[in-house]
Amino acid sequence: MNAVKAIILSAGQGRRLLPLTENSPKCLLPVANKPVLAWQIDALQTAGIDEIVIVAGFQVRQIEALLQARYADRSSIRIVFNPFYEVADNLASCWLARSDMSSDFLLLNGDTVIEPKLVLQVLNSPSAPITLSVDFKKSYDADDMKVQLNTDGWVKQVSKIVPPDQIDAESIGLVYFREHGPVCFRQAIEAALRHPAELKSWYLSIIDKLADQRLVNACSVKGYRWCEIDFVEDLARAGMLFNQEGD
């Protein structure tokens, strides 16, 4: 396996978690007495990924302080500052980190707590230009990033508005780019952001378009621990999930 870096998108404030995020970014909220971002970094490093790029915006100094306190000896962890976090969504964060998309990399939402075994499952998945990590459940709510799969497991579409009868899985917010996937993704980002309206887009809108070119495979992470932090109740659920001996 080629050397892989990770890009974590952590520029936003997380307004749906107010007042908890009034003065602190969502990625620093504690889960089982450890910040979300620390859970991510620790999981990535345990899985063998040392080079980590964090796209930060809101209260970036607090994120810098966390890195200094916990990872001062890890020069391979660095921050890319996104000054546009108030007016743009995470597609703009991807654009700011595009120079780091020249070789194999993982792209991770800054609000998804993961365990190392999940990362290894994705890293060891069958080779594809783009691999979308997915999980399965009986029903999906309006906020889930829904995924439709072809019969052979390749992604057909990914969107919050996939019709109910076409939903097969949900994206957990972790994508693996290999082969010509990094170049395709970077070029698609640059093309999209030539249109001002795309500043408010999610990067998964690009993945959805690239799926039409049969570039996006799916990797099941069913049975592995992960939790997306969007609402206060998610913090409690993540705490119970990750507050286990050995973490």
Side-chain angles (χ1 to χ4, degrees):
M1 186 172 61
N2 295 331
V4 179
K5 72 176 64 172
I7 301 173
I8 304 176
L9 305 179
S10 295
Q13 178 179 2
R15 294 182 183 277
R16 288 184 293 185
L17 283 155
L18 286 170
L20 297 177
T21 54
E22 184 174 354
N23 298 303
S24 178
K26 177 163 64 169
C27 67
L28 295 187
L29 293 178
V31 168
N33 299 315
K34 187 162 78 171
V36 169
L37 181 59
W39 279 106
Q40 295 179 317
I41 293 173
D42 292 349
L44 292 167
Q45 292 190 328
T46 301
I49 297 177
D50 294 319
E51 186 174 0
I52 300 173
V53 179
I54 301 158
V55 185
F58 178 70
Q59 296 287 13
V60 64
R61 293 187 185 279
Q62 293 184 23
I63 297 174
E64 291 170 340
L66 173 75
L67 297 186
Q68 182 61 35
R70 296 184 68 108
Y71 309 101
D73 60 335
R74 307 295 175 89
S75 60
S76 57
I77 302 176
R78 54 192 169 86
I79 289 176
V80 170
F81 178 57
N82 177 3
F84 312 112
Y85 64 89
E86 289 268 17
V87 297
D89 218 305
N90 62 23
L91 186 58
S93 285
C94 289
W95 185 86
L96 287 162
R98 68 194 185 285
S99 63
D100 287 295
M101 299 177 180
S102 58
S103 58
D104 294 4
F105 72 97
L106 285 175
L107 186 63
L108 178 61
N109 289 348
D111 59 2
T112 304
V113 188
I114 51 174
E115 68 170 322
K117 291 179 181 178
L118 185 153
V119 180
L120 289 170
Q121 168 77 354
V122 177
L123 291 176
N124 293 316
S125 62
S127 186
I130 302 171
T131 301
L132 187 70
S133 307
V134 301
D135 204 349
F136 306 87
K137 57 186 181 182
K138 292 182 179 180
S139 62
Y140 301 87
D141 60 42
D143 201 54
D144 290 335
M145 190 59 72
K146 304 161 195 71
V147 179
Q148 182 185 20
L149 302 173
N150 288 323
T151 55
D152 56 0
W154 287 72
V155 175
K156 191 170 183 180
Q157 60 175 323
V158 51
S159 168
K160 287 191 175 185
I161 56 172
V162 175
D165 61 341
Q166 297 177 15
I167 302 171
D168 296 306
E170 67 173 319
S171 167
I172 75 162
L174 176 64
V175 190
Y176 188 15
F177 296 83
R178 286 171 285 186
E179 303 170 3
H180 55 290
V183 172
C184 291
F185 185 61
R186 189 176 68 242
Q187 290 176 343
I189 292 169
E190 291 173 344
L193 285 178
R194 289 176 178 268
H195 305 282
E198 295 292 344
L199 278 174
K200 292 292 187 180
S201 293
W202 296 312
Y203 73 84
L204 281 172
S205 65
I206 300 295
I207 302 298
D208 181 58
K209 293 174 183 176
L210 294 175
D212 289 338
Q213 304 173 36
R214 196 178 169 82
L215 292 172
V216 187
N217 204 349
C219 173
S220 170
V221 297
K222 185 174 180 61
Y224 295 96
R225 288 180 298 160
W226 69 277
C227 187
E228 184 179 19
I229 311 294
D230 283 324
F231 304 99
V232 173
E233 53 266 33
D234 296 330
L235 280 172
R237 184 163 62 93
M240 291 186 291
L241 190 62
F242 283 86
N243 190 19
Q244 297 181 13
E245 187 176 351
D247 288 329

